[in-house]
């Protein structure tokens, strides 16, 4: 097999100036850093524009590259900040922006076309059709989903010309990046906005089979829960043994994760991969020594247990070790007991007895990890004793007493079950010693004038909501029959009610609202009864065939054929879950059998959080799109106000905006069906929250037993201008779901347990 002509780029992370310098010194070809306030890592301190400018200049002087990750979802209130940031970056000239929000793509192409853009891994590109579509959207490079094998990556390369970047080392999420809502809907901290509280790293208990509740039953997990562990805590990805395979697969850039990691981690990891890359073309006798040194450097980087991720099909059982916590750092020892102070407050500090697995000395920075709750408490070791006598250091195998001065007793639950880690904090304070940092301090990077920003905002909000050029949607690859919906109403105080069902029985039930459309997820399971429902043609309830959030390469052919058959049977309406799925409609054979125009809608998994993203979807010819399920009230209201503009074309219909207001949305959407999931479906958190797994062919989903519902806010959503409200009853018992809906809409009687995500609060 021939190798690509261009050598693979080694791309390193940097969260500090010192890490940036260490990455280049260790052999990185390029470095990526976060844009101030708009990157998907909640860094303790963002880079300033002056620091980014200094790093760009420093990298370019050395024939290296600097990419800026502006990969957070952007709320409507942050559009002015986004425009300001893009304006400054356009002047600085990084080699590319890494983005996930298609609203940012719209702003770049509208106002700053000189900026190159790369699609973040948060865009969940996992097959060639999506990669091709992202090239058509204007992306020069795609950062592939981390759930792909080398064989699948090679297939994507062979079918498209867009540059491919892959993660080769670092943390792995259990859910597909871009499809995790656990941290947001159960905590208000969105992983798509860099605020993830890492629920996948927590300990969970399986519920006994006799206590396996049906969806819709709330309450506590019940006594008697057993088994479990760190069920979803993924080992770190390590692809150092598979660089030749990545090169053969056509990858142009190998990305190391870790903008939150220390300088030592960056230096060791980059140096390890530089050695391994150089070893590819070294003589056999040199290659062995170079790889041995590379592994030694990785062992010193204080990461998690390592595995090859999804790179090699058939080895997925190695990706999670449920008994391991998945915390970063070096395991120092097992905590066997914690003693909290008694008597007058402040008499003495809390202490922990620890059986050491590694040496320990005064001054070490440590992290105490509580296995059941997932709580992490960091502290510096100032008090160490062996058999009651103070000591400066201790060795592996000894039992020691560690002082926990400064840690509140309330944070040390009893009995305590935990592990002690040593944490690498090298290079935290880099400014005092960095020449580059001093250079940045002398730079003055001008911000755009207020008048210029106001002009850009005025131009943005003055644009019509429909395509600025007639026919733009028809050029986007879905053929010439894309329409904006025969039922389009513009803004109205009376939104339509759409019902998503999972069984034919649910279609026949009575609901406390008039159902305008019925959504059915297209699968082999729903094919037969869905086709039967179409033949009956219930005029009052036209079907909208919906696509799952994740489609693998091997499933595309079936879905393309199924969509073609549905069109020939008269189907008009489909809902995509990912913008790359528009490629499935590029080769449909003209209009439906009854001559109807194709109507395409977008699901909430399209992650729309601002009016610029709404405009992009409108320009792509969609009849409607659902707003992000993570939204708060203020963001939804502002985006709808920013998008609600008159159309330039007489008689044209605006793209509709919908919102899912009831259901059990997936919190995790994952590829891994781990061996320890077998026979186990319901699980509970230490706080008594109950969840269940839905294991399907295309993905494994985790849902809450408690229903998500915005039904008590339905009148307000109508006043805000939401065009259609989606009620999802595809999970649980149909009759119970109908009764639940009636209670929540009426507000009378005993209401079922429910949660409303971020709507009534503030999305972080």
């Amino acid at each position: 097999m021939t190798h690509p002509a261009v050598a693979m780029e080694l791309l390193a992370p940097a969260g500090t100036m010192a890490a940036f310098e260490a990455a280049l010194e260790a052999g990185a070809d390029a470095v990526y850093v976060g844009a101030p306030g708009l990157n998907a890592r909640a860094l303790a301190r963002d880079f300033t524009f002056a620091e980014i400018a200094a790093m760009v200049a420093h990298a370019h002087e050395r024939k290296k590259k600097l990419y800026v990750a502006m990969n957070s979802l952007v709320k409507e209130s942050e559009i002015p900040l986004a425009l300001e940031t893009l304006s400054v970056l356009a002047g600085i000239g990084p080699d590319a922006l890494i983005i996930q929000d298609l609203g940012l793509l719209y702003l770049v192409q509208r106002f700053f076309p000189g900026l190159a853009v790369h699609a973040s891994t948060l865009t969940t590109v996992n097959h060639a059709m999506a990669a091709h579509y992202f090239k058509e959207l204007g992306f020069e490079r795609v950062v592939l989903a981390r759930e792909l094998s080398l064989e699948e990556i090679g297939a994507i390369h062979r079918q498209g010309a867009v540059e491919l970047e892959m993660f080769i080392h670092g943390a792995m999420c259990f859910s597909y990046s871009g499809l995790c809502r656990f941290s947001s809907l159960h905590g208000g901290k969105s992983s798509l906005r860099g605020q993830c509280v890492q629920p996948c790293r927590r300990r969970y208990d399986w519920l006994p089979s006799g206590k396996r509740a049906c969806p819709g039953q709330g309450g506590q997990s019940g006594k008697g829960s057993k088994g479990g562990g760190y069920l979803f805590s993924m080992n770190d990805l390590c692809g150092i043994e598979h660089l030749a395979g990545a090169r053969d697969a056509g990858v142009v850039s190998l990305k190391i994760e870790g903008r939150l990691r220390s300088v030592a981690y960056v230096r060791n990891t980059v140096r390890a991969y530089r050695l391994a890359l150089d070893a590819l073309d070294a003589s056999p006798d040199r290659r062995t020594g170079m790889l041995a040194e590379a592994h030694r450097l990785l062992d010193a980087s204080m990461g998690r247990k390592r595995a090859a991720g999804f790179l090699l099909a058939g080895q997925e059982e190695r990706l999670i070790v449920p008994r391991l916590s998945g915390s970063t750092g070096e395991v120092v020892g097992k905590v066997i007991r914690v003693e909290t102070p008694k008597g007058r407050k402040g008499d003495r500090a809390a202490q922990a007895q620890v059986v050491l697995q590694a040496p320990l000395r005064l001054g070490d920075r440590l992290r105490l990890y509580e296995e059941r709750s997932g709580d992490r408490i960091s502290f510096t070791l100032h008090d160490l004793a062996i058999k009651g006598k103070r000591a400066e250091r201790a060795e592996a195998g000894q039992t020691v007493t560690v002082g926990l001065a400064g840690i509140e007793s309330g944070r040390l639950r009893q009995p305590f079950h935990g592990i002690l880690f040593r944490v690498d904090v090298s290079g935290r304070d880099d400014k005092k010693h960095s020449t580059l940092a001093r250079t940045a301090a002398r730079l003055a990077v001008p911000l755009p004038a207020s008048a210029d920003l106001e002009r850009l905002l005025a131009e943005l909000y003055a644009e019509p909501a429909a395509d600025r050029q007639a026919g733009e949607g028809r050029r986007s690859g879905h053929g010439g029959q894309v329409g904006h919906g025969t039922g389009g109403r513009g803004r109205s105080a009376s939104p339509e009610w759409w019902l998503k069902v999972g069984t034919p029985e649910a279609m026949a039930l009575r609901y406390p609202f008039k159902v305008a459309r019925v959504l059915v997820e297209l699968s082999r399971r729903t094919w037969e009864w869905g086709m039967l429902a179409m033949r009956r043609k219930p005029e009052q309830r036209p079907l909208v065939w919906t696509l799952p959030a994740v489609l693998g390469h091997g499933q595309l052919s079936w879905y393309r054929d199924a969509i073609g058959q549905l069109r020939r049977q008269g189907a008009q309406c489909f809902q995509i879950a990912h913008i790359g799925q528009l490629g499935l409609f590029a080769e449909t054979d003209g209009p439906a059998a009854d001559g109807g125009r194709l109507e395409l809608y977008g699901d909430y998994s399209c992650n729309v959080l601002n009016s610029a993203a709404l405009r992009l979807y409108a320009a792509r010819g969609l009849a409607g799109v659902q707003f992000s399920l993570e939204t708060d009230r203020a963001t939804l209201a502002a985006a709808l106000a920013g998008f609600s503009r008159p159309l330039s074309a007489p008689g044209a219909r605006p793209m509709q905006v919908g919102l899912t207001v009831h259901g059990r949305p997936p919190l995790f959407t994952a590829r891994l069906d781990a061996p320890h999931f077998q026979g186990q479906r319901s699980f509970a958190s230490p706080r008594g929250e109950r969840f269940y797994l839905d294991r399907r062919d295309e993905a494994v989903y985790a849902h809450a037993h408690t229903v998500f519902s915005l039904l008590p806010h339905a009148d307000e959503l109508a006043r805000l201008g939401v065009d259609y409200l989606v009620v999802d009853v595809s999970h649980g018992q149909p009759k119970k779901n109908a009764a639940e809906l009636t209670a929540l809409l009426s507000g009378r009687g005993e209401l079922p347990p429910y949660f409303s995500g971020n709507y009534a609060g503030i999305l972080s």
Side-chain angles (χ1 to χ4, degrees):
M1 181 178 292
T2 59
H3 295 152
V6 179
M8 287 187 295
E9 171 186 87
L10 181 57
L11 178 56
T16 65
M17 299 285 278
F20 166 77
E21 293 179 285
L24 293 184
E25 291 168 1
D29 301 302
V31 178
Y32 65 102
V33 301
L38 293 169
N39 67 90
R41 283 292 183 270
L43 301 175
R45 186 190 70 82
D46 281 328
F47 287 112
T48 65
F49 288 125
E51 289 171 333
I52 293 175
M55 288 186 287
V56 168
H58 187 82
H60 288 177
E61 288 171 1
R62 289 155 181 77
K63 307 301 181 185
K64 309 290 185 178
K65 294 183 178 181
L66 192 286
Y67 305 126
V68 175
M70 198 172 170
N71 55 340
S72 174
L73 281 188
V74 177
K75 297 198 292 187
E76 187 69 19
S77 60
E78 295 167 338
I79 290 291
L81 173 62
L83 286 170
E84 179 181 71
T85 301
L86 290 171
S87 177
V88 176
L89 292 176
I92 291 174
D95 293 279
L97 300 183
I98 306 169
I99 64 174
Q100 66 152 324
D101 193 320
L102 295 184
L104 286 179
L105 176 66
Y106 184 90
L107 296 178
V108 167
Q109 293 179 336
R110 175 71 180 87
F111 299 114
F112 308 101
L115 285 169
V117 287
H118 294 175
S120 166
T121 191
L122 291 162
T123 58
T124 327
V125 174
N126 70 322
H127 49 70
M129 184 181 70
H132 176 79
Y133 197 83
F134 271 69
K135 180 184 180 183
E136 182 180 322
L137 281 172
F139 289 97
E140 294 185 2
R141 179 185 294 183
V142 168
V143 186
L144 295 168
R146 292 177 235 205
E147 291 75 16
L148 295 173
S149 69
L150 290 172
E151 182 179 355
E152 290 168 327
I153 294 172
I156 294 173
H157 169 66
R158 289 190 295 273
Q159 296 182 45
V162 68
E163 289 186 357
L164 302 181
E165 179 176 306
M166 64 174 284
F167 276 94
I168 196 66
H169 193 92
M172 293 278 286
C173 300
F174 175 70
S175 180
Y176 280 96
S177 297
L179 295 177
C180 180
R181 298 178 187 86
F182 209 138
S183 178
S184 180
L185 296 184
H186 285 264
K189 304 289 187 180
S190 174
S191 61
L192 304 184
R193 289 175 48 78
Q195 301 290 330
C196 186
V197 297
Q198 296 188 316
C200 59
R201 301 294 180 191
R202 296 172 183 164
R203 179 182 175 85
Y204 297 92
D205 289 318
W206 293 119
L207 293 179
S209 58
K211 297 181 181 293
R212 187 180 299 166
C214 295
Q217 293 181 342
Q220 299 299 305
S221 60
K223 296 181 180 180
S225 296
K226 62 182 180 180
Y230 301 94
L231 307 178
F232 311 107
S233 185
M234 300 280 284
N235 293 331
D236 275 3
L237 168 65
C238 179
I240 201 161
E241 298 286 351
H242 307 289
L243 301 186
R247 184 166 67 177
D248 290 342
V251 172
V252 302
S253 182
L254 300 172
K255 189 171 197 170
I256 297 170
E257 182 274 338
R259 283 191 285 131
L260 295 178
R261 301 290 188 98
S262 70
V263 174
Y265 171 88
V266 172
R267 180 182 294 110
N268 288 337
T269 307
V270 172
R271 181 57 183 155
Y273 278 86
R274 182 77 272 156
L275 281 168
L277 281 170
D278 293 344
L280 289 178
D281 300 311
S283 60
D285 57 329
R286 290 187 61 232
R287 186 180 304 128
T288 300
M290 294 168 76
L291 290 176
E293 174 63 10
H295 281 283
R296 186 195 68 77
L297 288 166
L298 293 181
D299 290 339
S301 65
M302 291 195 185
R304 300 178 183 89
K305 181 179 175 63
R306 303 192 297 271
F310 293 89
L311 297 179
L312 297 181
Q315 297 189 7
E316 290 80 5
E317 73 278 1
R318 303 180 183 181
L319 299 187
I320 295 177
V321 182
R323 71 178 187 276
L324 299 180
S325 70
S327 184
T328 57
E330 177 188 9
V331 176
V332 172
K334 178 75 174 178
V335 179
I336 57 176
R337 184 168 65 252
V338 167
E339 298 177 355
T340 55
K342 298 179 181 179
R344 287 190 305 109
K345 183 179 180 180
D347 282 351
R348 64 182 178 86
Q351 297 178 328
Q353 285 195 334
V354 183
V355 178
L356 295 182
Q357 300 177 26
L360 189 65
R361 68 176 63 196
L362 294 179
D364 281 348
R365 186 66 179 172
L366 305 175
R367 182 194 301 120
L368 195 61
Y369 182 85
E370 216 293 334
E371 295 181 282
R372 293 173 300 174
S373 67
D375 288 343
R376 297 167 172 84
I377 306 171
S378 298
F379 65 100
T380 300
L381 182 61
H382 297 299
D383 188 6
L384 177 67
I386 304 173
K387 295 182 179 180
K389 295 183 179 180
R390 288 182 59 84
E392 291 189 359
R393 62 172 293 131
E395 302 299 329
Q398 293 183 306
T399 299
V400 301
T401 300
V402 172
L404 304 177
I407 299 177
E408 297 178 5
S409 298
R411 300 190 65 186
L412 302 169
R413 60 183 296 177
Q414 297 290 354
F416 191 93
H417 298 273
I419 302 172
L420 193 65
F421 290 85
R422 186 180 358 257
V423 183
D424 182 8
V425 296
S426 62
R428 280 189 171 180
D429 184 12
D430 60 292
K431 280 190 163 185
K432 296 179 181 178
H433 310 290
S434 170
T435 301
L436 183 60
R438 290 194 293 270
T439 299
R442 296 192 296 268
L443 283 178
V445 177
L447 298 178
S450 298
D452 292 334
L453 280 181
E454 291 296 332
R455 176 181 54 79
L456 294 179
L457 288 168
E459 288 184 26
L460 174 66
Y461 290 120
E463 290 179 339
D467 300 344
R468 288 184 292 109
Q469 295 179 342
E472 186 172 347
R474 289 190 292 274
R475 292 196 300 273
S476 63
H478 356 125
Q481 294 295 324
V482 178
H484 277 289
T486 58
R489 301 170 291 103
R491 298 288 174 226
S492 170
S494 300
E496 292 181 345
W497 290 88
W498 293 19
L499 185 73
K500 185 175 183 180
V501 301
T503 64
E505 292 78 15
M507 296 174 67
L509 293 175
R510 295 184 64 181
Y511 294 93
F513 44 75
K514 180 181 178 181
V515 178
R517 302 204 180 195
V518 174
L519 297 95
V520 178
E521 183 166 303
L522 178 57
S523 69
R524 298 176 191 272
R525 181 178 61 85
T526 62
W527 173 257
E528 290 187 8
W529 64 264
M531 288 287 285
L532 180 62
M534 282 183 60
R535 292 190 186 102
R536 291 175 178 170
K537 294 186 177 181
E539 297 295 334
Q540 71 278 17
R541 294 184 177 185
L543 285 185
V544 180
W545 290 94
T546 74
L547 302 180
V550 175
L551 294 177
H553 173 75
Q555 298 170 301
L556 295 179
S557 178
W558 184 87
Y559 275 93
R560 186 175 285 108
D561 290 344
I563 289 169
Q565 292 183 52
L566 287 169
R567 289 288 287 148
R568 290 189 289 275
Q569 289 292 326
Q572 298 181 28
C573 303
F574 295 85
Q575 179 176 269
I576 62 169
H578 182 279
I579 196 168
Q581 292 174 355
L582 287 175
L584 287 170
F585 300 89
E587 299 174 4
T588 54
D589 298 330
D594 60 2
R597 301 180 71 193
L598 176 63
E599 296 180 28
L600 296 179
Y601 296 86
D603 206 345
Y604 58 74
S605 52
C606 291
N607 292 333
V608 174
L609 208 58
N610 57 70
S611 62
L614 290 174
R615 293 173 189 280
L616 184 136
Y617 276 97
R620 287 279 146 177
L622 266 68
V625 67
Q626 291 188 49
F627 209 70
S628 170
L629 202 66
E630 298 185 15
T631 189
D632 53 37
R633 176 191 286 113
T635 297
L636 175 63
L640 289 174
F643 182 65
S644 181
R645 299 296 171 187
L647 294 167
S648 57
R653 298 184 185 277
M655 185 185 74
Q656 296 182 310
V657 180
L659 186 69
T660 288
V661 295
H662 188 87
R664 291 180 173 82
L667 305 174
F668 291 145
T669 300
R671 181 170 189 175
L672 178 63
D673 193 354
H676 57 275
F677 294 166
Q678 298 296 326
Q680 303 281 2
R681 293 184 64 85
S682 290
F683 57 99
S685 75
R687 295 186 293 183
E689 302 161 311
R690 299 168 73 170
F691 310 94
Y692 65 96
L693 291 180
D694 184 10
R695 297 163 55 225
R696 301 191 183 186
D697 291 340
E698 76 278 2
V700 174
Y701 303 94
H703 304 262
H705 277 291
T706 303
V707 70
F708 166 84
S709 189
L710 299 180
L711 290 177
H713 305 283
D715 290 342
E716 179 183 51
L717 293 170
R719 290 192 298 271
L720 290 178
V722 178
D723 292 300
Y724 58 100
L725 306 177
V726 180
V727 173
D728 184 351
V729 294
S730 61
H731 287 250
Q733 304 169 8
K735 290 184 178 180
K736 183 179 178 64
N737 285 338
E740 186 177 67
L741 290 170
T742 301
L744 287 168
L745 262 179
S746 67
R748 294 191 296 269
E750 184 177 352
L751 299 183
Y754 73 95
F755 68 98
S756 57
N758 304 306
Y759 182 77
I762 299 175
L763 171 64
S764 297

